[in-house]
Amino acid sequence: MLSGSKVVLRARYEEDIPILRTELYDDAVTGSRAEGAPWRPVTPGAKDPRLFVDDQGPETVSFSVVERDGGALVGTATLWGIDNHHRAAHIGLGLLPSARGKGYGSDVVAVLCHYGFVVRGLHRLQIETLADNHGMLRSAEHNGFVREGVLRSSAWVLGEFLDEVILGLLAKDWKPNATS
């Protein structure tokens, strides 16, 4: 497990899956904004690759996010696109609607930075998010990520094209949080 000041990142447990499916992936709007593909319903009991982590290759590490105090499930966190040659990866996270706006996102990003830079020895982490995802932009910038560019009208989401923001952080520029 990896701990931050508000959250713990741990392995995905079987009992996490129904909660994550219901609160993050069954909703067409949330699912469409979080994925780089069109939303589609998933049959209950199906091994949804967004939720089941057993079959993932070495380029993806997925975590469940729980509250540090109390242990309630609050979301997911992923280090994906891990490239060991270039020592780079991407960060992704999804918080349950009830967990948003409480500072968990910034803490998750901090813990993923610790995992990427300290545990994995990576050189660069990157985040891509929709330009109107102000919570993710704040969480990234709070942790030292720098806006590197905007991909204009690059994401087709619910009937319209939206801009995506690319943010990056290098290991040498990272200021570790004492709790992570």
Side-chain angles (χ1 to χ4, degrees), residues 2-170:
L2 299 166
S3 294
S5 61
K6 295 182 176 196
V7 299
V8 173
L9 275 55
R10 63 156 170 78
R12 177 81 32 85
Y13 295 165
E14 188 73 29
E15 60 265 22
D16 298 345
I17 293 170
I19 297 166
L20 295 172
R21 177 178 284 126
T22 299
E23 295 196 37
L24 283 180
Y25 296 114
D26 278 351
D27 176 57
V29 173
T30 300
S32 295
R33 291 181 55 80
E35 298 293 319
W39 178 84
R40 63 181 177 79
V42 176
T43 305
K47 291 240 178 201
D48 185 341
R50 298 169 300 182
L51 298 172
F52 288 89
V53 298
D54 295 341
D55 301 325
Q56 294 177 332
E59 67 280 344
T60 302
V61 179
S62 295
F63 301 94
S64 284
V65 180
V66 297
E67 291 176 323
R68 185 177 176 130
D69 298 326
L73 180 68
V74 295
T76 65
T78 308
L79 201 66
W80 62 276
I82 300 169
D83 182 331
N84 289 319
H85 177 71
H86 296 291
R87 295 179 46 210
H90 303 261
I91 284 179
L93 65 98
L95 294 176
L96 303 181
S98 61
R100 296 177 190 153
K102 298 179 179 180
Y104 294 140
S106 290
D107 202 36
V108 170
V109 172
V111 176
L112 285 173
C113 287
H114 172 82
Y115 179 71
F117 292 136
V118 175
V119 177
R120 300 293 299 240
L122 298 176
H123 171 70
R124 175 186 166 79
L125 295 174
Q126 183 169 307
I127 294 173
E128 300 87 6
T129 191
L130 297 175
D132 64 354
N133 187 347
H134 303 293
M136 186 66 205
L137 292 169
R138 273 191 310 275
S139 294
E141 291 172 337
H142 176 79
N143 282 284
F145 280 80
V146 175
R147 292 184 194 215
E148 296 180 334
V150 174
L151 300 174
R152 297 179 309 135
S153 293
S154 63
W156 177 253
V157 180
L158 299 170
E160 67 179 319
F161 284 104
L162 299 176
D163 293 349
E164 288 181 284
V165 177
I166 298 175
L167 303 106
L169 179 62
L170 302 179

